[in-house]
Amino acid sequence: MNRALARAPLTVSALLCFFACTPAGSRTAKRAGGVGKNPVELRTLDDRPAIGLVERDGDPRGAVAIAVAHDFGSEASAGLAQLLKARLVRAGFSQIDARPSALGFVLTTLVTSPADAAHFVEAVSAALATPITDAELPRTLPRVPTLTGAAQTAVFACSGELGATASGGSGAPEPPDARALEAWRARLLSPGAVAFSAVGKRALLDALATAVASTPRMGGQPTLNDKWPDADVVGAVPSAQGRLTLAYRLGDPARALEVARLFATPGSVLSARLLALDGDFRLDRVVATSHVRGACLRVDVRSASNQPRPRDVARAASVVDEETRPLLDGRAGEPQTLDDAVVRPSHPGDAAAAAAWRALAARLPGGQTRRAVSWLGAVPADGNMSFERALTSLEAARQRSTLERRARIETGQGELFALVASPCGTLSESGDDAGLHLALARAIAQKREGFSGVSIEPWITPDSVGLLAHAPRASASESADQHARRIGDALGRALVATRIAGTDVAETKADLLQEIGPAGQQGYFAALDAASGGHPSWLDPRGTWRAVSALETATLDARRRLLLSGPLRLAVLANSSTTQAEHTAAALERWTRPYRSEVGACAAGAMNAAKSGELSVEIGSDNPPRTYLVLPLARAVSGVEREAEWTVFLLNRSGGWLEQTLGNESASRARASLLGGKSARVLMIEVQAPDADRDAALAKVRSLMQRLSKGGATSADADAARRHFEARDAERALDPRARVVDLWRGAGPPRADAGSWKRFQTQLGAAPELVVHAKTRP
């Protein structure tokens, strides 16, 4: 209908202004007078049509237009525009472009001289003043699209696009007859309802303005009201379209146009958030429409899914609303935006249509912002009720936070650090998908590293999985709160909007497989599986070779949705203000909220009893044989015990317990590891020895653990361990990453003393051993 339809790349199109707009009550003229001056001139008259003039060079021909606004609806506009176009053609204008809408219509034509412009005004005035007869009625009148339901009707009334409900409630609307058209025509000529425009050189503009001043005076009271909606409306109608529309009637045309342009920008936040939702939603079109009273912003969203659930549709509607409301309510639009809408079209006919409608628009005051939500698609048996209930629930959820938050201010630091993670960790992983969360976190971080100047890093332990983000200020002009919002936005985009492709998963798997070692380490993987009751990642979040090798992209995406809908905790090390943590959380929740209206608990896999005794695993001849001694440990509230860390340190240090036990000159070697967290914890000792010495080496290690369980450690050992960890902790605390992790975790492990260490070591002798022999195939 309007050449001003600007199509952005990919899936978004934007009708930047249905017709151009003007501030309410403007009566002053704007004149072009040189470089940098406003090229748009408006003249508002009390008893004659308004005038919009755009002086510009370069077009081989100028253009003139008339805009007529009314309250009679789409059928009146379509019929009257066709009839008046025919009258103008008979008056000598061979090319008339008629643009009807539910709000009125615009007629435009190209002209070559000032005389043509004056003749257009005279011909239009005569056409509007001449009664309509049956003989003049066209053989066929255009039919307008049929609208179904109150919500769709409200959407079209807001956006001004052609549409009408069927007469009698069924079938297509019937075209009007000559009597109806004449009744409408007779009421068109009223103050504030008609405007002329011209685009071109000054002589052409002056000729049109002079001709308008010579038209008959329009008497009587204005008949145009442009009724404001009484209330919001939500509705769903069964259809094969899969179209969701939200339309906002607001009082500021400039702001509606600015938001439309923002949404239509490729890669906009709204587009990205919709693409991240279930239901395959995509931003399809954004329309800003100026009215005589206020304006409308219409947002159309398409779903490629055959039957999206009502909650998925409601989630998309909630996302659109959450992005739109703050932008519409945040500030008034810039007046220059309206001028840009008039001069932006390259075709003079489009500019003339915009200028004519601008001379009429926003002449009456607007009211409270109203919203219409319409879904045309799959509808369950209870129809609107499911959709409305879901939307109400989601919008109520927007008013509350679902993030557990912890914050601390460290003024003077160069960067802000934020860590968002699930305290569920690897709890939902089994032997079949062990390592899934680590692969997911790494794939996301790899894709989002450096986005908006924010560094994104994966962070995972058996008890937590998430992302750590940090960045300095982007510039000297970035405020502390803007800095925080940028980091929260980067975290939210990473978690929700990252599109993980098969190549990303393949690259992440290759790196992870190289890190956890070759497939020949079956003994280690078997020990993990047996000691954890079939949940190896409860001990080592990297998983096993078999499980990581089998991971698929769809599995990672499904688990990400589960992660988003479960418990999440955010820790923020702010570097400037007390409000930074709130701004980081708000920006993060903007992305995650659609998945968190009902936060679930941690999903745990079925727990099997950990195995004990001895197992044997065959490995390839290119791998040295190993034996794994696994001692289960009691669960710790924090997932970590300082006493266990001390023990591992003293076992492994140079000249430590393991080296003393096996002898410096021996070919046998052993290494202890502390694995696991709150769900499962073990002390694992890997023994490498020649075949002839393997049993003896294992026996020596077992004997060592028995001695320790009976108080074999000395106070000197404890002092050495304490000094080591005090130095390590002091060094570690210099890294903000460690500090934000500690903040996320909360209270650390209790301080160790001689009594607690003795109690810990006692359990080493009482624990049921698991021994796994990895033997070379014969």
Side-chain angles (χ1 to χ4, degrees), residues 699-721:
K700 290 179 180 180
V701 172
R702 279 173 156 167
S703 177
L704 167 65
M705 302 315 293
Q706 287 296 321
R707 289 197 307 273
L708 292 176
S709 72
K710 295 176 181 179
T714 66
S715 58
D717 292 328
D719 289 340

Side-chain angles (χ1 to χ4, degrees), residues 11-23:
T11 61
V12 181
S13 67
L15 185 55
L16 294 182
C17 198
F18 198 79
F19 297 111
C21 321
T22 186

